[in-house]
Amino acid sequence: EKRDAPSLPVVQHHLRRRVQVRLQIFKTAYKGWGVKVEQGVRQGELVVEYVGEVIDSESWEERKQQLSRFDHMYFMALNQNEIVDASRKGNIARFINHSCAPNIQVEKWYVNRWPRLGLWAKRDIAAGEELSYNYSVKWYGDDQKAQHDLHV
């Protein structure tokens, strides 16, 4: 299932005001920690922004080496050279699990020349439902144009 990316005014509104829904972390039966919504969410709404420390690929490789095979990884690539590491300075979004049939999706946007990672509802989500996204991510919008047009 594919949906159109939100328009620039919608992204500006959501990311400027950091409009987010109330979320709750919980222990899942088989996947460790998970996140569920405390209120219903409509398709196309920003659920949460994925935040963390932006590091270069060399630092990322060093940090990966320090992890055991049982450690969870809270990394998301911005591009080939920059990675968001939510391990130390992340928010609740780092606990959202993967699914091949997700109810949210990650969209990468340039806002005031900075890349931002928004997790948006792919469909209506009921209160109490666990959030999930496919860990494969693609960019929306033209990064060159966004450098000039998207000012939040």
Side-chain angles (χ1 to χ4, degrees):
E1 175 186 342
K2 195 159 175 91
R3 74 171 183 86
D4 294 331
S7 67
L8 290 179
V10 170
V11 172
Q12 288 175 322
H13 169 76
H14 281 87
L15 292 177
R16 178 185 314 124
R17 297 191 59 223
R18 296 195 184 232
V19 175
Q20 298 177 6
V21 298
R22 290 192 339 249
L23 305 175
Q24 180 181 17
I25 190 169
F26 72 102
K27 186 74 169 162
T28 67
Y30 303 105
K31 300 178 283 187
W33 295 106
V35 177
K36 60 185 173 182
V37 293
E38 292 183 344
Q39 64 195 63
V41 179
R42 298 185 74 181
Q43 179 178 349
E45 281 188 61
L46 176 65
V47 177
V48 65
E49 184 175 359
Y50 191 95
V51 298
E53 182 181 6
V54 178
I55 59 174
D56 61 26
S57 54
E58 185 177 316
S59 298
W60 179 56
E61 291 298 330
E62 290 171 7
R63 290 182 185 187
K64 280 195 320 184
Q65 296 302 317
Q66 296 171 1
L67 297 173
S68 79
R69 69 183 194 107
F70 299 106
D71 288 333
H72 293 283
M73 294 181 64
Y74 302 109
F75 299 99
M76 188 180 298
L78 288 173
N79 54 49
Q80 291 181 351
N81 300 315
E82 295 177 305
I83 291 89
V84 175
D85 178 359
S87 302
R88 301 174 186 168
K89 298 181 181 181
N91 63 358
I92 194 170
R94 69 183 174 181
F95 297 110
I96 298 173
N97 289 307
H98 167 79
S99 174
C100 293
N103 53 14
I104 59 175
Q105 67 184 25
V106 179
E107 296 177 2
K108 298 178 180 183
W109 288 89
Y110 284 94
V111 179
N112 291 335
R113 306 183 102 173
W114 293 97
R116 307 272 294 267
L117 302 168
L119 292 116
W120 302 77
K122 291 181 67 165
R123 59 170 174 76
D124 290 348
I125 303 170
E129 188 174 343
E130 181 179 359
L131 296 174
S132 63
Y133 66 95
N134 187 324
Y135 286 176
S136 297
V137 179
K138 70 176 188 176
W139 282 94
Y140 286 92
D142 177 352
D143 64 334
Q144 296 304 310
K145 187 173 186 324
Q147 296 291 330
H148 304 288
D149 293 345
L150 188 57
H151 300 287
V152 175

